[in-house]
Amino acid sequence: MSLREMNLVATVMLLCLASCTSGQRFLSSLSSLGAGTNEATQELVRVLQPDNIPRFVGCLLREAGYEGCDKRGDAIRVLITVLDSQDFACSNCSNSTIDQMCLIKNSLVVIPEQCRKLKEGLKLINDICVPGMGCENVPPAGQRTLQGN
């Protein structure tokens, strides 16, 4: 995963966490980074294509063989864990942010062994590998058309 891709995923996850746990001011400052935009969604679609999921998971779990992982993976790992402790609920999130959270979750669900690997590796309480959980209408990255290609 490239530096830009990891930065985008970290920004989206941080935006989700900030909107769940902090005030509007912090949420606004993160929005200025581009999270919640159509561009951010398209970048997530590229990052979360089925062929990229093993690298995405490997980087988050700091597995050997995945060189070049961005250090922001540490932040993403923590954010997923914090969101997990809150049942992945985010009452203050915008619809586009919730869709991006669902895009990440639903893209992981498509590759069950990688999803389970991430769940177990991060010791998540919630089973993120179960379809649904409020994300039924959000297609995974592999079912979306990449724009700009």
Side-chain angles (χ1 to χ4, degrees):
M1 188 174 299
S2 73
L3 174 65
R4 180 175 181 226
E5 293 166 340
M6 280 300 246
N7 185 28
L8 176 65
V9 173
T11 300
V12 169
M13 296 300 291
L14 189 56
L15 178 62
C16 295
L17 179 64
S19 62
C20 292
T21 61
S22 299
Q24 189 65 30
R25 185 180 69 180
F26 191 54
L27 182 61
S28 295
S29 67
L30 289 174
S31 292
S32 70
L33 296 173
T37 65
N38 288 332
E39 180 186 34
T41 298
Q42 281 303 307
E43 192 64 30
L44 282 171
V45 168
R46 283 186 210 36
V47 169
L48 296 169
Q49 287 299 307
D51 290 347
N52 296 335
I53 294 295
R55 180 165 179 76
F56 178 80
V57 170
C59 285
L60 290 183
L61 296 178
R62 297 183 188 149
E63 291 182 327
Y66 292 101
E67 290 76 28
C69 295
D70 189 277
K71 294 192 185 288
R72 288 176 185 87
D74 293 337
I76 295 169
R77 196 171 30 263
V78 169
L79 293 171
I80 288 174
T81 303
V82 170
L83 286 170
D84 176 59
S85 71
Q86 298 177 7
D87 295 327
F88 291 92
C90 188
S91 59
N92 295 327
C93 288
S94 69
N95 288 338
S96 60
T97 300
I98 291 169
D99 284 349
Q100 289 174 345
M101 287 173 37
C102 287
L103 171 60
I104 293 168
K105 181 202 176 304
N106 288 348
S107 297
L108 286 167
V109 168
V110 171
I111 317 271
E113 65 278 359
Q114 291 295 318
C115 192
R116 282 190 300 274
K117 184 178 183 179
L118 184 65
K119 179 187 181 298
E120 292 167 8
L122 296 180
K123 297 180 172 85
L124 300 179
I125 298 164
N126 293 287
D127 191 355
I128 63 167
C129 303
V130 175
M133 294 176 64
C135 294
E136 294 82 4
N137 296 322
V138 178
Q143 293 179 7
R144 295 183 183 211
T145 303
L146 291 172
Q147 295 177 1
N149 287 345

